[in-house]
Amino acid sequence: MAAQAPVDSNAVLSEILSTLKSMQLDHQQLSSAVDAINGRVNMLSGVQQVHAARNGTMSNNVSEGTSGAKKLVAEPSGVQTPREELDDGRETPSVPIPPLSPKKSGVSSSRIILTTYPGQAGIDPIQMSWGNADPAQRGPVVVGRGPSTIRRRNAIGAHGGSYSIYYALALASKNLKYDHKPDFTNTEPAAPIGPHPQWADPKKIVSMDPLGHLAPWLFKDYINKENVELRPTIAVTKAHMMLPELEQSVKAGRLVPDGKICMNSSGELAVTKIAVEPVWYLPGVAERFGMDEGTLRRSLFENTGGSYPELITRNDIKLFLPPIGGMTVYCFGDPAKMSNPNVRLALRVHDECNGSDVFGSDICTCRPYLIYGVEEAVKEAQKGGSGVVIYFRKEGRALGEVTKYLVYNARKRSSDSAAEYFKRTENIAGVKDMRFQQLMPDILHWLGITKIDRMLSMSNMKHDAIVGQGIPIHERVPIPDELIPEDSRVEIDAKIHAGYFTTGKVMNTSELAAVHGRGWEDLDVNTDYAKCALSTLLILNSTKLPFHHEKL
């Protein structure tokens, strides 16, 4: 009997490895396909629920199929809703377009349009009934300036907030085609949000579009039939979050990996993220600040260098997309629990501080409090509740980073006393804070939040704004003393003295005057500041540049 040939173990291992790689690739492709389907389902669910909320038939418009998947059923009779059939046989409901008024002569794109007026030839804005529960009656936010869109605009400004300037630069430099149309395939929300009753209250939400995450799908007929440019102002995605401090939290036992929210011993977190661009309903914003709409419009026009003349000439347009930063929501745990009044919610509302949040400056408590807020939000979610951190782009108390650094200089070149903390800012900016938290609670209303069990903030302004909007706060949680950097005692003690919440001691005026920050003595800089500044001026004045006195 002939002996069998020896088995080539390397060949077998290679074959197994190749099979495993093929299986892994197939699994990745399957996961991608499932994620894409989930995105479509979330969009379908969101659009359908908006329609259901309009008709008061939330539970009746969705039925369970035999496989357990949600099946969309017909709208109530009499509602003419255009539908688009999907690959799997389902249909996407959209808002019916109301009858168009007779088309007027278009506005030529070869002319510079400085402003427009109500009733002007070629101007036919899409209706906007802010706060209307019926999306067909409310209408989409239209702010584009393309040839087929400009006459239909019902909003002033531009998409992208402060980034709208880069959009203009991209067009001018021909890096972006003027007629580019966004392809929103697979961009649907990664998690369903709402609808909530607050979306239909024009006084609850005045600084963002409640339908902003569904706009291209909910109002798709405006895009397909009228070639109107519509863009989302809200995007919902999922991600991993890695912060070095959280690994230490795991090692110290404050965070326990569960494989779902805190995913491993490195403190890596699973998070749902929601980016929001501002959309202001001007009558509502004016009311929040206790002023009339005309005063608000004039101030916005004059103090942006006259950049938006339609604020003055188009009193029929009530929406403004301001050139400012927006916000990002970080949700830990099931996003549906944010609006559930029967589960606990831990919340931190945080205003941007680039120096501390990103680069670790110890002159303030911003990053330590942010990390603490994330950690406590995760722990609340792990206990079956919901944890939320909301990050607003309001750098330097909305005064900006240049002003903030000027204040730092003024503080460090004097005694840097807690008693003088706010005075330094007021001397330069004329005001100690421009964050104006009146608009901040809008995002809470949009998320469906009706109460806060643990508010991870000491700010009296934030507390008063939230409570003033009818959202009770059951517990306020200050930053633990051991997390406060030594040089930031000036900031935190001054804020506590001015009204910030604390469970500890509130200093009197004399005690506050004894609190001083670190100087610059340990830094390698020229501390003769006056001589340094004078020397720089002399050098500049004595420098003879060719273009000052010679022909080139």
Side-chain angles (χ1 to χ4, degrees):
M1 185 175 181
Q4 291 183 344
V7 177
D8 186 348
S9 59
N10 289 334
V12 173
L13 289 174
S14 296
E15 183 180 352
I16 293 173
L17 182 61
S18 176
T19 302
L20 289 173
K21 287 182 177 179
S22 177
M23 291 174 62
Q24 183 182 33
L25 181 60
D26 291 342
H27 178 72
Q28 290 173 345
Q29 292 174 341
L30 177 61
S31 296
S32 297
V34 170
D35 283 342
I37 293 171
N38 283 338
R40 302 295 289 276
V41 169
N42 288 333
M43 178 271 292
L44 286 166
S45 175
V47 171
Q48 184 70 15
Q49 289 185 45
V50 168
H51 283 289
R54 170 195 67 191
N55 295 301
T57 55
M58 180 80 74
S59 60
N60 296 329
N61 274 7
V62 180
S63 64
E64 296 294 329
T66 55
S67 64
K70 290 182 179 179
K71 179 182 178 182
L72 301 180
V73 299
E75 294 282 344
S77 60
V79 180
Q80 300 298 319
T81 304
R83 296 175 179 269
E84 172 189 1
E85 187 168 331
L86 302 179
D87 295 339
D88 57 4
R90 290 175 299 172
E91 296 177 330
T92 305
S94 69
V95 168
I97 297 180
L100 295 176
S101 55
K103 188 172 181 180
K104 302 175 183 178
S105 58
V107 180
S108 172
S109 61
S110 63
R111 295 183 288 120
I112 296 177
I113 309 299
L114 295 179
T115 192
T116 57
Y117 301 89
Q120 179 180 346
I123 301 302
D124 186 20
I126 292 174
Q127 66 179 355
M128 170 53 62
S129 177
W130 190 260
N132 197 308
D134 182 351
Q137 295 299 317
R138 203 215 71 158
V141 174
V142 184
V143 75
R145 295 184 66 87
S148 60
T149 303
I150 188 167
R151 72 185 188 91
R152 305 289 277 152
R153 291 165 68 247
N154 59 16
I156 301 164
H159 282 294
S162 58
Y163 295 102
S164 60
I165 303 302
Y166 291 102
Y167 178 82
L169 183 60
L171 288 173
S173 61
K174 298 183 179 179
N175 283 283
L176 176 63
K177 292 183 178 180
Y178 187 77
D179 59 352
H180 170 74
K181 293 183 178 181
D183 179 0
F184 294 116
T185 303
N186 288 334
T187 65
E188 299 90 352
I193 305 292
H196 301 295
Q198 298 94 318
W199 294 14
D201 188 336
K203 294 184 180 294
K204 294 287 188 185
I205 300 177
V206 300
S207 62
M208 58 182 288
D209 178 10
L211 305 179
H213 59 314
L214 299 173
W217 304 281
L218 188 60
F219 300 106
K220 66 179 183 296
D221 276 14
Y222 284 101
I223 300 174
N224 297 335
K225 296 182 178 180
E226 286 200 53
N227 199 26
V228 171
E229 178 188 343
L230 300 179
R231 300 193 179 209
T233 56
I234 302 173
V236 185
T237 190
K238 295 184 291 187
H240 290 199
M241 177 186 289
M242 299 184 68
L243 297 167
E245 291 92 336
L246 296 183
E247 184 174 4
Q248 297 302 316
S249 298
V250 172
K251 291 179 179 178
R254 295 192 302 274
L255 279 184
V256 179
D258 59 1
K260 295 180 179 180
I261 300 173
C262 183
M263 303 177 70
N264 50 45
S265 60
S266 297
E268 188 173 352
L269 305 177
V271 62
T272 299
K273 303 195 296 185
I274 306 170
V276 182
E277 292 178 358
V279 177
W280 285 8
Y281 175 58
L282 292 171
V285 173
E287 184 178 359
R288 288 276 182 94
F289 283 87
M291 67 180 73
D292 64 86
E293 184 185 342
T295 298
L296 174 63
R297 284 174 174 267
R298 177 169 182 170
S299 185
L300 290 171
F301 169 70
E302 292 182 340
N303 294 291
T304 56
S307 298
Y308 303 98
E310 286 174 318
L311 287 167
I312 304 301
T313 65
R314 292 297 301 275
N315 59 8
D316 60 317
I317 293 181
K318 301 299 183 181
L319 299 184
F320 177 49
L321 277 63
I324 60 175
M327 74 192 88
T328 307
V329 177
Y330 297 86
C331 173
F332 303 98
D334 183 358
K337 291 185 176 181
M338 289 186 288
S339 60
N340 188 340
N342 298 317
V343 302
R344 287 174 57 82
L345 171 72
L347 171 72
R348 170 149 182 85
V349 176
H350 189 94
D351 293 323
E352 179 183 22
C353 176
N354 183 62
S356 177
D357 296 343
V358 179
F359 294 101
S361 172
D362 67 348
I363 199 172
C364 62
T365 60
C366 294
R367 183 178 176 94
Y369 214 165
L370 176 60
I371 299 298
Y372 179 67
V374 169
E375 185 176 307
E376 292 299 305
V378 169
K379 288 194 287 188
E380 195 67 66
Q382 287 181 319
K383 290 185 290 187
S386 179
V388 179
V389 174
I390 304 177
Y391 194 91
F392 282 85
R393 270 45 176 215
K394 295 179 181 178
E395 175 63 58
R397 299 192 213 132
L399 299 169
E401 205 164 26
V402 169
T403 296
K404 181 164 75 171
Y405 285 7
L406 295 175
V407 172
Y408 286 173
N409 287 350
R411 286 175 53 189
K412 296 302 182 181
R413 285 169 175 163
S414 59
S415 62
D416 194 15
S417 166
E420 300 287 319
Y421 176 78
F422 288 112
K423 183 178 179 181
R424 293 296 180 187
T425 303
E426 290 174 325
N427 286 345
I428 295 169
V431 62
K432 65 182 180 182
D433 198 325
M434 290 201 309
R435 286 174 290 182
F436 302 132
Q437 303 294 348
Q438 288 94 324
L439 302 178
M440 175 267 294
D442 286 21
I443 184 64
L444 306 182
H445 289 315
W446 185 75
L447 295 170
I449 292 173
T450 55
K451 53 85 182 170
I452 299 166
D453 295 281
R454 302 186 74 224
M455 179 71 179
L456 301 154
S457 172
M458 301 165 69
S459 169
N460 52 330
M461 293 174 63
K462 292 174 183 175
H463 171 273
D464 294 348
I466 292 172
V467 174
Q469 279 291 303
I471 302 174
I473 297 174
H474 299 318
E475 180 187 4
R476 302 173 71 181
V477 184
I479 183 173
D481 279 346
E482 63 268 21
L483 298 182
I484 300 175
E486 182 180 355
D487 197 40
S488 69
R489 291 273 15 154
V490 170
E491 173 219 26
I492 200 67
D493 288 338
K495 288 182 175 179
I496 291 172
H497 180 79
Y500 268 43
F501 173 78
T502 182
T503 55
K505 178 180 173 58
V506 179
M507 294 184 176
N508 59 38
T509 304
S510 59
E511 290 172 327
L512 200 66
V515 178
H516 294 277
R518 182 182 61 235
W520 283 344
E521 292 80 8
D522 60 331
L523 302 178
D524 185 19
V525 297
N526 184 348
T527 55
D528 190 346
Y529 311 116
K531 181 182 290 186
C532 179
L534 179 60
S535 174
T536 301
L537 289 172
L538 290 173
I539 291 172
L540 290 173
N541 287 332
S542 64
T543 300
K544 297 183 181 297
L545 299 177
F547 53 83
H548 283 164
H549 57 88
E550 295 179 2
K551 292 183 178 180
L552 297 178

